[in-house]
Amino acid sequence: MKKELVRKIVPLALAFVLMFSSLAYGAEAISVTKVQKEEAISTIPDVPGVQDIMSQKSVKGLKQSSLKTASSQLKIGTATTYKKLDSYLSNENNINYVQFNKSGEKGILELKSTKTGNLLISIGSYKNNASAVYINQCSSSGKVLNGVCAQGIKPGEAITSCIPVKANTTYQLNFTPANKNDIFLIMGVVVPGGTSMTLPTSYAKDDYTVAAGTDINHKTYTTYLKLKAKSNGLLSVQAQDIIGQNNGIKLTLCNSKKTAISATSTLKKFQNDGKESIDSSYYGISGVTKGTTYYLKVQTAAPVYALKYSTAKYTTKPGTKKSKATKITRGKSKNVTLAASTSTGSQWYKISVPAKKKVTVKFDGYVAPGTSVKMQLLKSNGKTNVKSMTINGALHSKLSGKFEITFSKKGTYYVKISKTSKKSSAAYKISYK
């Protein structure tokens, strides 16, 4: 059955922390921080297999291919996106229909991949088959490399397994025992893997890049996924194990030299209002030089994972020191990027406050997980701190922080947004009311 990715809106979970303090000269300030969970994104369905087709049709009704004898080579596909993977495994025309002709056959089927990666293989045993069988992946010489179905597959059952393959290498699938007239349905798709890959500039609705997380020896790859930023703004990334084990996807943003410019976060499925959802990570990025190159460093024990990213523009260029502070008129706001880099940095804003009227300075946006930014309200000298707060980054969360203030006298004040570490970054709206 065709499976689709579905976005669902869930109630927003709010957590408030209130802190109160008094200012000199009779001024009074309230600072508030708030964490707001983003719209939930439903988890990516596990990949389909022959069991989905077997449940809808009789085996005899399926189109029979010419593959009926031992040592025939299986037809397998290749997929680098979730939609292609899902489409291939949902199409009965991609099934290899295998029937062993006589008892005592070695039960050997050959396969060959054009890519190095992990082969998602789905095998169904016809209900009238004689007995359970055990299936191993072997080298072309017959050496056992991996168990495909270590527990055995009984008549009427279907399994989906994942085995590593190397490009342009012939492998065998060894069925034991191979009984006369036993029928098997087999589908396979290779998801490529490696140490580098270039991500698309955009994604079709509900589509994802898919890649192998482990190598030919079942060891974790360190993969650098290349992307280019076209403007300053927010980079949002979602990732998930799609084999059903819920292995964490370790994610680190790197610059064009593959130097880490963020903390490492681990993305996993999580429960949101009783439903499984995908984690999201956020970063502030710069694209002012006609497309800045970034890499997403991925490490996971997931044999196959899915990942996608999106960007949103936050293009105001604020002053980076007091003398060049960006003025914010009351009732206005600015959309700003505090970009990930190998250094710390600050952004300055200037506001004119009236006497004896409450004003609000507010931060709304995203901070890279595992890092934080500091928001300060400073007196006209740009040094004396009136109030400050730290806004901590979090997965799958939009963050807010605000100062509500009543001054006894009118005057000029400064708002300073700063990285608390070299790996901090943010994309935010700052408003003054």
Side-chain angles (χ1 to χ4, degrees):
M1 183 181 295
K2 180 68 179 174
K3 300 180 180 179
E4 298 180 351
L5 305 178
V6 180
R7 293 179 180 272
K8 298 198 177 202
I9 298 176
V10 301
L12 298 176
L14 303 178
F16 295 89
V17 178
L18 299 180
M19 299 168 284
F20 298 88
S21 67
S22 295
L23 295 177
Y25 316 113
E28 183 178 302
I30 300 174
S31 61
V32 181
T33 60
K34 180 174 70 174
V35 177
Q36 176 177 296
K37 291 297 182 185
E38 283 287 81
E39 176 185 326
I41 302 174
S42 295
T43 53
I44 307 167
D46 291 340
V47 292
V50 295
Q51 61 269 30
D52 296 285
I53 296 174
M54 287 173 64
S55 65
Q56 299 174 59
K57 292 189 171 189
S58 69
V59 174
K60 294 294 186 182
L62 292 171
K63 178 182 177 181
Q64 297 186 18
S65 70
S66 60
L67 183 63
K68 293 185 178 181
T69 60
S71 298
S72 297
Q73 191 166 100
L74 295 169
K75 176 185 72 175
I76 58 176
T78 302
T80 56
T81 70
Y82 179 80
K83 282 196 171 182
K84 288 181 180 178
L85 178 64
D86 181 69
S87 177
Y88 190 95
L89 293 175
S90 299
N91 187 346
E92 68 179 59
N93 291 323
N94 295 323
I95 291 177
N96 295 276
Y97 181 104
V98 179
Q99 184 174 16
F100 295 115
N101 290 330
K102 58 183 179 180
S103 296
E105 281 187 316
K106 291 184 178 180
I108 295 174
L109 302 173
E110 291 185 346
L111 62 89
K112 187 176 183 179
S113 171
T114 59
K115 300 288 185 180
T116 295
N118 283 320
L119 171 65
L120 279 171
I121 188 164
S122 185
I123 304 173
S125 174
Y126 183 42
K127 64 181 180 181
N128 291 337
N129 285 354
S131 65
V133 298
Y134 299 86
I135 308 168
N136 288 312
Q137 177 195 16
C138 302
S139 67
S140 58
S141 63
K143 180 182 177 181
V144 175
L145 302 175
N146 296 287
V148 178
C149 186
Q151 303 302 316
I153 177 172
K154 297 177 181 178
E157 291 184 342
I159 60 99
T160 297
S161 187
C162 191
I163 55 176
V165 292
K166 192 174 180 179
N168 302 315
T169 301
T170 298
Y171 297 93
Q172 297 177 354
L173 290 183
N174 192 319
F175 289 68
T176 306
N179 302 301
K180 182 179 180 180
N181 296 325
D182 273 3
I183 297 172
F184 297 92
L185 307 181
I186 304 172
M187 281 198 297
V189 181
V190 175
V191 177
T195 57
S196 63
M197 182 184 301
T198 298
L199 295 173
T201 56
S202 62
Y203 288 88
K205 184 180 179 182
D206 298 333
D207 205 4
Y208 290 74
T209 292
V210 291
T214 53
D215 64 16
I216 195 72
N217 297 311
H218 304 283
K219 302 295 184 181
T220 297
Y221 276 123
T222 296
T223 304
Y224 289 89
L225 305 177
K226 183 179 180 180
L227 62 92
K228 279 197 173 183
K230 295 182 179 179
S231 66
N232 289 357
L234 174 70
L235 172 67
S236 303
V237 185
Q238 293 84 40
Q240 179 194 311
D241 177 352
I242 58 170
I243 303 300
Q245 301 301 312
N246 199 20
N247 288 290
I249 315 295
K250 290 185 178 181
L251 191 67
T252 310
L253 182 66
C254 299
N255 64 13
S256 60
K257 296 180 179 179
K258 299 182 180 177
T259 300
I261 53 175
S262 79
T264 297
S265 55
T266 300
L267 279 61
K268 299 185 73 173
K269 300 175 189 177
F270 69 98
Q271 292 292 321
N272 192 322
D273 194 30
K275 297 180 180 179
E276 282 194 330
S277 299
I278 304 174
D279 255 340
S280 300
S281 193
Y282 309 103
Y283 310 95
I285 56 173
S286 171
V288 294
T289 56
K290 296 183 180 180
T292 304
T293 296
Y294 290 95
Y295 290 91
L296 293 172
K297 178 183 175 182
V298 176
Q299 295 171 302
T300 179
V304 176
Y305 65 93
L307 177 146
K308 74 183 299 182
Y309 75 93
S310 60
T311 57
K313 293 182 179 180
Y314 288 69
T315 55
T316 297
K317 298 178 181 178
T320 56
K321 55 184 178 180
K322 175 179 175 286
S323 62
K324 294 185 177 182
T326 298
K327 183 177 180 180
I328 304 179
T329 304
R330 195 172 185 193
K332 301 295 183 178
S333 63
K334 305 288 184 182
N335 292 316
V336 187
T337 300
L338 186 58
S341 66
T342 56
S343 62
T344 57
S346 300
Q347 296 171 332
W348 288 76
Y349 306 93
K350 180 169 62 175
I351 59 174
S352 297
V353 303
K356 299 180 181 179
K357 289 185 179 180
K358 185 174 74 172
V359 298
T360 301
V361 177
K362 189 176 182 183
F363 173 109
D364 281 302
Y366 305 86
V367 178
T371 71
S372 60
V373 298
K374 186 176 183 180
M375 183 165 74
Q376 295 172 274
L377 179 65
L378 304 171
K379 289 186 177 180
S380 58
N381 61 13
K383 296 179 181 180
T384 305
N385 190 62
V386 175
K387 192 66 182 174
S388 68
M389 68 170 61
T390 298
I391 302 171
N392 297 306
L395 292 171
H396 200 70
S397 300
K398 187 173 184 180
L399 309 167
S400 295
K402 70 179 179 180
F403 300 131
E404 292 182 342
I405 311 162
T406 302
F407 291 95
S408 58
K409 296 180 180 180
K410 68 178 182 179
T412 298
Y413 286 79
Y414 291 88
V415 179
K416 183 181 178 183
I417 308 290
S418 306
K419 293 184 177 185
T420 60
S421 72
K422 292 181 179 180
K423 294 184 177 181
S424 298
S425 67
Y428 63 93
K429 178 175 77 172
I430 185 165
S431 57
Y432 170 45
K433 294 181 180 180

